[in-house]
């Protein structure tokens, strides 16, 4: 099942792309570049459905490599970036201008290590979350000032990699930590659950199912996607496992509209779309595993469809 892609060419490599919260029904994304020698930028892209094309609506100079970006859910042009330059890591709150390519630096966050991820709460626009290798930090923002409110550590010999805030519960976040996944109460900054080994070696990404408050998916070094339930974290095995990549699974993302649909991307250069109706039949802690082999990407066995372009 092939489809034509709508393409926009950036002038520099980019490692982060995030959706901008919907404004007047417009579909927009914001991307940040990672060049060691050239002038980096943050670019705002918009989909034009009339002409079926991506259009660059604005671009701003960014002084460092942009490793991650998160947009304010209510204020257009305000965003947070995680960045690096010559081994110096940081996170900064910016305000973009309609009339200039220069970003206004609102505040620098006082961090201590390598910044992996920056997240802006969709429930409380005054709350931020940063993920460092050795720390999970919450921040409060008011009157253009950002202040750290709490800090938590991953545990011995474990590094954080990324995190995902719960789409409906402002207290909860999933954090990829080494080979496992930790469930955190970010208001109390305390760990409330974990899967010690979700993948062999490293867990690269996590994503919540938007319409199921307990369900989430992980991707890892073992080329697999695994599905979990927060009510059953003590069980050693995942609800379901999918194999469709030949190298590390770096990104997993549930559709915000359809709980049976998700995407994964890998260093094998493919992006896979998955349809998972079998998981929808599993309703609670007493759920039984679907029949069939534990790991397969064949739709007749796993009721999953893998679409590769």
């Amino acid at each position: 099942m092939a489809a034509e892609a709508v393409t926009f060419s950036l002038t520099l490599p980019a490692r982060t792309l995030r959706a901008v919260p919907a404004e007047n029904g417009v579909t927009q994304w914001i991307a940040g570049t990672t060049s060691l020698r050239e002038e980096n930028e943050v670019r705002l892209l918009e989909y034009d459905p009339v002409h079926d094309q991506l259009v660059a609506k604005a671009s701003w100079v960014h002084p460092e490599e942009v490793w991650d970006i998160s947009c304010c859910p209510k204020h257009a042009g305000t965003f947070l970036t995680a960045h690096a330059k010559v081994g110096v890591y940081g996170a900064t709150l910016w305000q973009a201008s309609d009339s200039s390519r220069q970003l206004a630096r609102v505040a620098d966050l006082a961090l201590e290590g390598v910044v992996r991820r920056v997240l802006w709460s969709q429930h409380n626009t005054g709350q931020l979350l940063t993920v460092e290798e050795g720390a999970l930090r919450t921040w409060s923002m008011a009157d253009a000032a950002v202040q750290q409110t709490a800090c938590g550590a991953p545990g011995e010999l474990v590094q954080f990699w990324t995190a995902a805030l719960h789409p409906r519960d402002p207290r909860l976040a999933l954090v990829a930590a080494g080979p496992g996944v930790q469930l955190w109460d970010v208001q109390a900054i305390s760990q409330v659950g974990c899967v010690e080994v979700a993948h062999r070696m490293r867990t690269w990404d996590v994503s919540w199912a938007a319409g199921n408050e307990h369900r989430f998916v992980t991707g890892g070094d073992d080329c697999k996607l695994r599905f979990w339930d927060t009510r059953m974290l003590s069980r050693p095995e995942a609800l379901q496992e999918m194999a469709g990549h030949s190298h590390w699974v770096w990104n997993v993302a549930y559709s915000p509209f359809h709980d049976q649909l998700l995407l994964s991307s890998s260093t094998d250069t493919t992006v896979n779309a998955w349809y998972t109706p079998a998981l929808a039949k599993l309703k609670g802690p007493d759920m039984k595993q679907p029949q069939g082999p534990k790991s397969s990407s064949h739709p007749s066995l796993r009721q999953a469809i893998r679409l590769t372009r």
Side-chain angles (χ1 to χ4, degrees):
M1 183 180 294
E4 291 298 322
V6 178
T7 303
F8 182 92
S9 297
L10 297 170
T11 57
L12 297 171
R15 65 176 295 161
T16 182
L17 175 71
R18 303 294 176 197
V20 176
E23 183 177 356
N24 299 323
V26 176
T27 303
Q28 294 182 327
W29 295 267
I30 193 165
T33 64
T34 53
S35 174
L36 292 173
R37 297 180 179 84
E38 304 295 328
E39 184 176 72
N40 284 292
E41 66 178 14
V42 171
R43 184 164 293 218
L44 180 67
L45 303 175
E46 181 175 306
Y47 177 65
D48 178 358
V50 175
H51 300 95
D52 190 28
Q53 62 182 356
L54 282 171
V55 179
K57 302 298 291 186
S59 66
W60 304 279
V61 175
H62 195 284
E64 303 92 1
E65 303 168 51
V66 183
W67 281 27
D68 194 27
I69 194 165
S70 185
C71 298
C72 176
K74 290 188 177 179
H75 302 289
T78 303
F79 50 85
L80 184 69
T81 63
H83 48 76
K85 188 174 184 178
V86 197
V88 178
Y89 302 89
T92 301
L93 180 65
W94 306 93
Q95 179 61 53
S97 169
D98 294 332
S99 58
S100 171
R101 293 198 68 230
Q102 301 303 312
L103 292 170
R105 189 183 294 263
V106 178
D108 290 310
L109 281 60
L111 302 169
E112 298 177 1
V114 177
V115 188
R116 298 295 192 193
R117 189 82 166 86
V118 289
L119 296 162
W120 206 311
S121 172
Q122 301 299 301
H123 307 280
N124 179 2
T125 56
Q127 181 178 329
L128 310 173
L129 183 75
T130 58
V131 181
E132 301 170 49
E133 284 186 342
L136 183 71
R137 302 178 195 270
T138 57
W139 308 79
S140 63
M141 186 183 70
D143 299 326
V146 181
Q147 184 175 10
Q148 179 180 306
T149 54
C151 178
E156 290 188 28
L157 304 177
V158 176
Q159 290 184 348
F160 287 140
W161 183 257
T162 189
L165 293 169
H166 197 286
R168 290 189 287 177
D169 190 337
R171 299 170 303 158
L172 297 180
L174 292 166
V175 187
V181 178
Q182 299 176 0
L183 180 65
W184 282 74
D185 181 333
V186 295
Q187 294 182 353
I189 206 69
S190 62
Q191 186 184 148
V192 295
C194 74
V195 178
E196 292 188 2
V197 182
H199 296 270
R200 295 196 307 271
M201 297 179 68
R202 186 186 294 275
T203 298
W204 287 113
D205 202 13
V206 293
S207 179
W208 291 99
N212 186 320
E213 61 182 325
H214 304 291
R215 191 69 47 77
F216 64 95
V217 63
T218 61
D221 261 348
D222 53 9
C223 317
K224 303 292 197 308
L225 281 73
R226 292 196 174 95
F227 297 82
W228 310 87
D229 190 292
T230 57
R231 298 164 294 183
M232 304 189 304
L233 295 182
S234 61
R235 298 188 183 184
E237 293 188 352
L239 298 178
Q240 194 170 15
E241 178 183 285
M242 290 185 178
H245 288 289
S246 60
H247 212 253
W248 307 328
V249 179
W250 271 62
N251 298 103
V252 289
Y254 262 108
S255 165
F257 307 108
H258 305 287
D259 282 345
Q260 298 178 27
L261 181 65
L262 67 150
L263 265 64
S264 61
S265 65
S266 166
T267 45
D268 65 8
T269 73
T270 64
V271 176
N272 293 345
W274 304 86
Y275 177 57
T276 60
L279 281 170
K281 301 175 184 178
L282 308 181
K283 300 298 183 182
D286 297 327
M287 60 184 72
K288 295 180 180 180
Q289 294 285 355
Q291 298 298 315
K294 186 181 179 207
S295 176
S296 174
S297 61
H298 194 286
S300 64
L301 297 177
R302 303 300 285 163
Q303 297 185 46
I305 299 173
R306 184 169 63 91
L307 308 175
T308 307
R309 176 168 176 80

